[in-house]
Amino acid sequence: MICRKRFPRLHLRARHVVAGSVFLLLASTSACMYAKTKVPDWVVQAAAESLPNYPPKTSAVILLNDEQFTVNAQGETIKHVRTVWKLLRPKARKDISEVAVGYRRTRDKLVSMRAWSIGPDGKQYSLEDKDMREADPEGGYELYSDYRIRYAMAPAVDVGSIVALEYEITSHPFVSDFIWYAQDNYPIRQQRLLLTLPEGSTYKSSWRGEAPVEARNLEHGKTVWEMSDVPAVDVEDVPMSPSPRTLMSRLDIHYTGLSPAFTTEGTWSGIGKWYEQLAENRNSSNDRIAEKARELTAGKTDFADRAQAIGEFVQQRIRYVAVEIGVGGFQPHAASEIFSHEYGDCKDKATLFSAMMKAAGMRSTWLMVDFSRGTIAPDSPSIAANHMIAAIELPEGYSSSRLHSIVTAKSGKRYLIFDPTSEKTPFGQLESELQGGYGLLMEGAASEIIQLPVLSPENNLVRRTASFHLDNAGVLSGTVMETRSGDIAKDWRYVYTYGTLKQQEAIRDSVLGRDLTSFQLTDVKVENAASLLKDLTVSYRIEADHFVQHAGNLLMVRPRVIGSTGYTLNHKKREIPIDLGESKLVQDEYEIELPAGYAVDELPAPVKVDMGFAEYESQSEVKDGKLHYKRTYTVRDVMLPASKYKDLQQLAGVIENDEQSMAILKKVN
């Protein structure tokens, strides 16, 4: 449940996050001394494994993944991992040339780390401590983190090579939960998890989704899960795929007994009780916080107005900066510290928001979520989440047309779901990435898993209107106005608020370049980029050469001038769910003044199709010497089962045909 900020897609760098496990990084092969000591027998045995026939694009296979997780009588955990890879294609070189282990210095101790490789020629290499390097993770918003990564560069990495890694980490965990991912982006030939608990301890486990294997209980508190020929979770050529992390089989283990760590008992309620203890009094107010809350809500009597004033203050005035040391990856700082420093991470901002709401006579609690829909699963209680937001308790019977992201708990209480870290999402709405997923409502023993709402398309609106003139030379010129409201405006608001002129030009060019080969923009005007409750408006004049296609005395003109909104799909068999991204409503209305001496000879046929999850309609007509085009595209759902892929392909074909359809102009004099 380490807090992670969601980066805007259009102008901030993405980053990779690791959490105490093996991961692979892009790197180049380096030289290493030939090892006098041969590689261990378990590596040689794994390398000798016969392999099944894998799909041609399979670039590597994990021959062995053996993980032993031991809890001793003092509650200390020992994690011992052995992994062996074999490279099958050149593409894997960039992924497996450097292996790494991440750990937290204040909680964990990296007891040992060894790496080996066997070249295609059979030569064996060993990497010792002197061959490794250690560093902090790069990128991100952490002011300080106790997270460290140790890297080992494997030599002689080429097709046919074997790379092996062994490491051991001891830890003093804060909570008695353990998460095991049983799949990878490479297929796994042999895999094993061995759990060892001290006498008197018990455990409860749950698989997210269908259990791929049953546990075998051994003697002396040992339990083992063994799997062979585990398929890869490969989404490289799968359009509109969910996050691979949400597709991998995951085993959540919750152990009890002698451990001093808090025991969640493998229930959502237990996790809620743990967090209640962890965050106790952290959302307490003080005089300065109370004074600021009174200042922000002064003269406001409506609940939504009062809550919004506090929400926007925390959204925009409290900078996102993380200080994650030890339990600080889970536990929020005190509201007084956050307010004084004017920065904090997601759980800190939710905590300060709760304190300020309390000072103003309102109530907010925490909501644990994840930016990848499907990570949090109702049937698998887990702390596998990466974000903390707020749930605002609404007064009984209260309603407001501005509040859309509302859920109802089992208690009958209604909560408005609000993310104080999303600086450009309007109050009362919710980021598209969170919609349709699940979250844990933190209410102590009454904590419960809730599904977050999918907002109606009207709350995510894109509207483009334009008036063009087409001359006889095929030059199109005119004015365009595009308005965006709701979460769909978020990334544009970031760019037009914080981006450079070059970045702002790039976002416009990337949109218009899909439809126009050559164009120039002038008189660009942006309004309301920072005013979340007002529509973001971008207007400009445009001139585009070579807009028409000539066919003798005929001109072919595309009525749908700009605004490509279709899908890039393939025709492969679909086996995983479809992530549509966001619900939305897109409306386009264009008029083109025809060139002198031409009239419309043929128009594209009107289109109307409703697939349930989405609807598309368009119409072209001629009126007063102008070609008019109007369309509406509505997306109602964010996730579809794989069985709907044919329907999506059909919809994509309808949209593509309509977007590329031409009106035929005929010379009349």
Side-chain angles (χ1 to χ4, degrees), residues 187-311:
I188 304 173
R189 187 73 176 93
Q190 299 292 338
Q191 176 156 261
R192 183 182 77 143
L193 170 65
L194 177 63
L195 173 68
T196 304
L197 297 176
E199 185 177 352
S201 294
T202 60
Y203 79 91
K204 180 179 180 180
S205 66
S206 61
W207 287 95
R208 182 185 57 192
E210 185 178 351
V213 65
E214 296 295 329
R216 287 194 299 114
N217 293 320
L218 309 177
E219 296 180 345
H220 308 300
K222 297 180 183 294
T223 306
V224 66
W225 291 263
E226 293 181 298
M227 306 168 66
S228 59
D229 294 323
V230 181
V233 175
D234 182 5
V235 299
E236 183 179 1
D237 297 324
V238 182
M240 308 181 75
S241 166
S243 167
R245 188 164 59 103
T246 68
L247 301 173
M248 294 178 180
S249 294
R250 186 187 76 211
L251 179 64
D252 291 284
I253 297 174
H254 317 267
Y255 52 91
T256 62
L258 302 177
S259 171
F262 191 95
T263 300
T264 66
E265 301 173 346
T267 65
W268 291 116
S269 174
I271 295 174
K273 287 188 287 186
W274 166 65
Y275 204 77
E276 180 182 51
Q277 181 188 85
L278 200 64
E280 185 177 10
N281 296 324
R282 296 280 165 160
N283 62 340
S284 296
S285 183
N286 62 17
D287 291 343
R288 292 183 62 203
I289 292 175
E291 180 182 358
K292 188 62 180 181
R294 286 193 296 270
E295 174 191 325
L296 292 169
T297 58
K300 295 178 173 64
T301 57
D302 179 68
F303 180 87
D305 289 340
R306 290 162 55 80
Q308 178 186 326
I310 294 174

Side-chain angles (χ1 to χ4, degrees), residues 613-631:
F613 60 85
E615 182 178 2
Y616 186 89
E617 61 178 313
S618 74
Q619 184 176 8
S620 300
E621 63 178 355
V622 179
K623 186 177 179 180
D624 300 329
K626 296 180 180 179
L627 172 59
H628 293 263
Y629 174 82
K630 184 177 182 179
R631 73 168 172 179

Side-chain angles (χ1 to χ4, degrees), residues 4-73:
R4 297 298 174 202
K5 182 179 176 69
R6 174 71 170 103
F7 296 139
R9 290 189 292 269
L10 296 179
H11 85 292
L12 292 179
R13 289 187 305 171
R15 61 174 172 168
H16 299 285
V17 179
V18 291
S21 60
V22 178
F23 70 106
L24 305 174
L25 295 175
L26 172 63
S28 59
T29 305
S30 65
C32 181
M33 293 296 293
Y34 179 73
K36 295 181 179 179
T37 304
K38 292 185 178 181
V39 300
D41 290 342
W42 56 269
V43 178
V44 176
Q45 291 170 4
E49 278 274 343
S50 60
L51 299 180
N53 292 323
Y54 293 116
K57 71 171 187 175
T58 305
S59 58
V61 58
I62 298 174
L63 299 173
L64 173 69
N65 187 53
D66 185 278
E67 188 164 337
Q68 300 179 30
F69 187 81
T70 303
V71 183
N72 63 26

Side-chain angles (χ1 to χ4, degrees), residues 399-414:
S399 65
S400 171
S401 60
R402 291 179 312 189
L403 307 185
H404 306 286
S405 53
I406 297 175
V407 299
T408 302
K410 293 176 182 177
S411 63
K413 293 180 180 179
R414 295 177 305 131

Side-chain angles (χ1 to χ4, degrees), residues 48 466 470 534 624:
L470 182 64
K534 295 181 180 179
D624 300 329

Side-chain angles (χ1 to χ4, degrees), residues 7 43 60 116 119 154 172 248 296 327 480 510 519 574 593 659:
F7 296 139
V43 178
W116 302 267
H172 297 275
M248 294 178 180
L296 292 169
V327 74
V480 178
S510 67
F519 59 89
R574 185 80 181 204
E593 184 181 354
E659 290 193 336

Side-chain angles (χ1 to χ4, degrees), residues 10 491-492 495-496 503-511:
L10 296 179
D491 292 337
W492 280 40
V495 173
Y496 285 115
Q503 290 170 323
Q504 294 171 13
E505 291 173 359
I507 193 175
R508 293 191 295 267
D509 290 349
S510 67
V511 172

Side-chain angles (χ1 to χ4, degrees), residues 237-239 570-576 642 645-646 649:
D237 297 324
V238 182
N570 57 33
H571 294 283
K572 297 180 180 179
K573 182 180 178 181
R574 185 80 181 204
E575 297 180 345
I576 65 174
Y645 196 54
K646 287 186 177 180
Q649 289 173 320

